[in-house]
Amino acid sequence: MPDESAQWLFVETVIRRVMADFCYKEIRTPIFEQTSLFARSIGELTDIVTKEMYTFVDRGEESITLRPEGTATTVRAYIQNNLAEQAPLSKVYYLGPMFRQERPQAGRLRQFHQFGAEAIGSVSPTLDVETILLPLEVYRQLGLTETTLKVNSVGCEKCRPKYKQLLKEELRKIQTKLSPESQARIQQNPLRVLDSKDERDQILTASIPLMKDHLCDECKEHFTSVQALLNRLSMKFEVDGRLVRGLDYYTKTAFEITSPQLGSQDALAGGGRYDLLVEELGGKQTPGVGFAAGIERILIALEKLGKVKSQEAGPMVFFVGLDEASREWAFMKCCELRGRGISAELDYLNRSVKAQMRQADRLRAKFVVVIGEQELKSRSAILKNMANGEETPVPFDRLDSVL
Ligand code: AMP
């Protein structure tokens, strides 16, 4: 709605400014893609792919899907447009609508909006930390400071298969006691059992082995570096060995940022490294790392904190017209001022002077000029400063220069 848009614009302006400060350039990717792109990247067995995608067969009999997230689309565009040839490292960000068919509730919508960034081309743990800092800096500038950061390592193709096997064996020992959902996940997606919301599952798996304790040397070293960098930056964080994100492409670092201002849907942002994704989608082996963050949830949290701001300014001048001829003059003047980049508004509804003044107030106009027969004759009017009530007579031909 128009009033809400002003708040969105404010948040988006902060996002774009922070992205520019971190030297990320915007990438605008399509809203829909071939279904296979998401199935291959997010994972055939993930909730997003099995239950939540808006998938259609188009008139060319091709299966297409409204993008449920931004990384797969960005990586597809990266490969298809040979960005690797332009620079060894691509730092891009996106902002726009995503679609998932979930049960709508507070903070969970079927069309929602994310901003996110991807740094493709380097294994450096500094980039893992940079993509954690990016959303946190946006939150800081917006006044959302009470966030919690959780980090984990989900291993790589060398250490994860062995760990998965171990985890499956351990889970099978308690299989019958687990929730039906977790039981179903043991075979295909055992890591997701670890972040089950079911309380009994959580108790049963309390002492189950965690990936972070079974990392290969390379993953261990990477995770240690990420934590050391976060410490050097005095960032508060928790290592959460149960953090597994709902997308299969992550390797090594995974992280999540939550807000106490949000209810059950408390995740503000999540992300991690995906060193295999570019290759899986047909590109050369290229490491990458990124994050995605919900915009609706920022607005919910800001509202809870009473920090919702709008950067929308009122018009510079509002013309109150006393008769037909004055209104016509005001319309002409408005057109002229707008052409010079000065925002100007007038009454279009033949309202009374009082109602026009109220309208000027509601719009938060900086100045009001009342035009009547006399003003038209003398080619001069009173300019009223709405902030301090000051009234200044101004000849028509000087109006532009005083506004
Ligand atoms: P994900 O892509 O699942 O890692 O989600 C990243 C962020 O997007 C989450 O932390 C939320 O802030 C936001 N998000 C994800 N799904 C939804 C949804 N259905 N409605 C609103 N926000 C969402």
Side-chain angles (χ1 to χ4, degrees):
M1 288 298 111
D3 283 343
E4 291 171 287
S5 294
Q7 294 157 21
W8 279 75
L9 198 60
F10 170 68
V11 171
E12 287 165 8
T13 305
V14 171
I15 293 168
R16 290 185 190 283
R17 191 171 62 219
V18 172
M19 290 296 177
D21 289 345
F22 279 69
C23 302
Y24 283 69
K25 285 192 186 160
E26 190 185 10
I27 183 163
R28 298 193 182 198
T29 62
I31 299 293
F32 64 86
E33 296 269 358
Q34 287 175 347
T35 303
S36 58
L37 170 70
F38 300 115
R40 276 161 63 204
S41 54
I42 300 168
E44 303 267 5
L45 302 165
T46 56
D47 285 353
I48 296 181
V49 172
T50 54
K51 299 191 252 184
E52 297 169 2
M53 294 203 307
Y54 279 96
T55 298
F56 309 90
V57 175
D58 71 7
R59 284 168 193 254
E61 309 260 301
E62 194 175 350
S63 179
I64 59 160
T65 294
L66 299 183
R67 61 182 191 191
E69 57 101 60
T71 304
T73 339
T74 303
V75 171
R76 198 262 317 132
Y78 169 89
I79 298 167
Q80 213 166 333
N81 294 281
N82 285 325
L83 290 192
E85 272 169 32
Q86 292 171 26
L89 175 67
S90 291
K91 300 212 304 183
V92 293
Y93 80 92
Y94 58 83
L95 194 162
M98 305 291 164
F99 307 82
R100 293 183 198 171
Q101 191 153 16
E102 300 183 274
R103 192 171 55 80
Q105 51 183 291
R108 185 177 286 274
L109 297 108
R110 287 170 297 184
Q111 171 169 344
F112 58 101
H113 298 76
Q114 284 185 337
F115 69 98
E118 316 292 350
I120 309 174
S122 166
V123 290
S124 171
T126 51
L127 285 170
D128 302 45
V129 173
E130 187 166 292
T131 47
I132 293 174
L133 284 181
L134 260 171
L136 286 173
E137 181 56 28
V138 170
Y139 303 145
R140 194 189 66 79
Q141 292 196 19
L142 288 169
L144 283 184
T145 44
E146 283 175 64
T147 49
T148 303
L149 166 64
K150 287 181 181 167
V151 294
N152 191 20
S153 175
V154 295
C156 67
E157 78 279 19
K158 277 178 258 156
C159 50
R160 194 158 48 196
K162 259 186 268 167
Y163 165 73
K164 253 188 175 170
Q165 201 48 43
L166 170 74
L167 181 62
K168 271 187 201 170
E169 281 160 25
E170 290 298 316
L171 289 173
R172 280 204 194 101
K173 291 182 193 161
I174 49 169
Q175 182 161 6
T176 52
K177 295 182 198 149
L178 290 170
S179 67
E181 210 180 16
S182 288
Q183 289 194 32
R185 280 179 166 156
I186 295 179
Q187 189 48 33
Q188 311 277 25
N189 208 349
L191 273 103
R192 288 303 308 272
V193 179
L194 297 179
D195 76 346
S196 164
K197 299 279 171 286
D198 186 292
E199 235 173 80
R200 244 176 86 80
D201 286 355
Q202 287 172 4
I203 297 167
L204 285 164
T205 59
S207 55
I208 215 104
L210 297 173
M211 183 73 243
K212 73 177 175 66
D213 302 315
H214 291 80
L215 297 173
C216 61
D217 287 346
E218 188 189 314
C219 288
K220 212 183 289 174
E221 197 186 313
H222 190 90
F223 195 30
T224 307
S225 303
V226 169
Q227 292 178 64
L229 287 166
L230 288 171
N231 282 325
R232 277 184 69 186
L233 287 161
S234 307
M235 305 289 304
K236 276 203 201 115
F237 67 94
E238 251 172 66
V239 173
D240 179 354
R242 288 173 174 264
L243 178 73
V244 256
R245 317 236 34 262
L247 305 115
D248 277 357
Y249 49 64
Y250 289 119
T251 51
K252 297 195 172 100
T253 313
F255 69 90
E256 195 158 80
I257 300 166
T258 53
S259 160
Q261 264 72 47
L262 300 172
S264 63
Q265 303 301 319
D266 66 349
L268 275 175
R273 185 161 271 288
Y274 46 85
D275 288 346
L276 307 172
L277 185 58
V278 178
E279 204 178 359
E280 264 161 30
L281 293 179
K284 290 202 190 103
Q285 202 207 331
T286 316
V289 60
F291 79 91
I295 298 185
E296 282 83 358
R297 293 191 190 174
I298 291 181
L299 288 160
I300 294 172
L302 285 176
E303 192 164 347
K304 289 254 167 71
L305 289 169
K307 287 185 179 169
V308 172
K309 280 184 218 149
S310 149
Q311 65 168 17
E312 203 169 62
M316 180 61 83
V317 58
F318 187 96
F319 289 98
V320 171
L322 301 185
D323 54 36
E324 185 80 30
S326 306
R327 281 199 177 86
E328 204 176 296
W329 181 89
F331 178 67
M332 294 302 158
K333 194 70 192 168
C334 276
C335 292
E336 185 192 321
L337 291 173
R338 291 163 180 168
R340 294 190 185 167
I342 298 169
S343 57
E345 186 57 304
L346 73 151
D347 170 54
Y348 301 91
L349 301 171
N350 287 338
R351 280 182 271 209
S352 68
V353 173
K354 214 167 137 195
Q356 289 189 54
M357 289 305 287
R358 266 205 305 271
Q359 175 68 355
D361 233 15
R362 203 164 32 233
L363 292 175
R364 285 181 287 119
K366 284 208 178 73
F367 295 99
V368 166
V369 176
V370 181
I371 307 287
E373 205 179 331
Q374 208 184 320
E375 283 75 16
L376 286 186
K377 217 182 269 164
S378 66
R379 307 211 50 81
S380 153
I382 305 285
L383 184 73
K384 182 173 179 186
N385 182 326
M386 297 297 274
N388 56 19
E390 217 174 79
E391 296 192 349
T392 327
V394 183
F396 282 174
D397 54 10
R398 284 207 46 239
L399 205 51
D400 305 21
S401 55
V402 294
L403 287 172

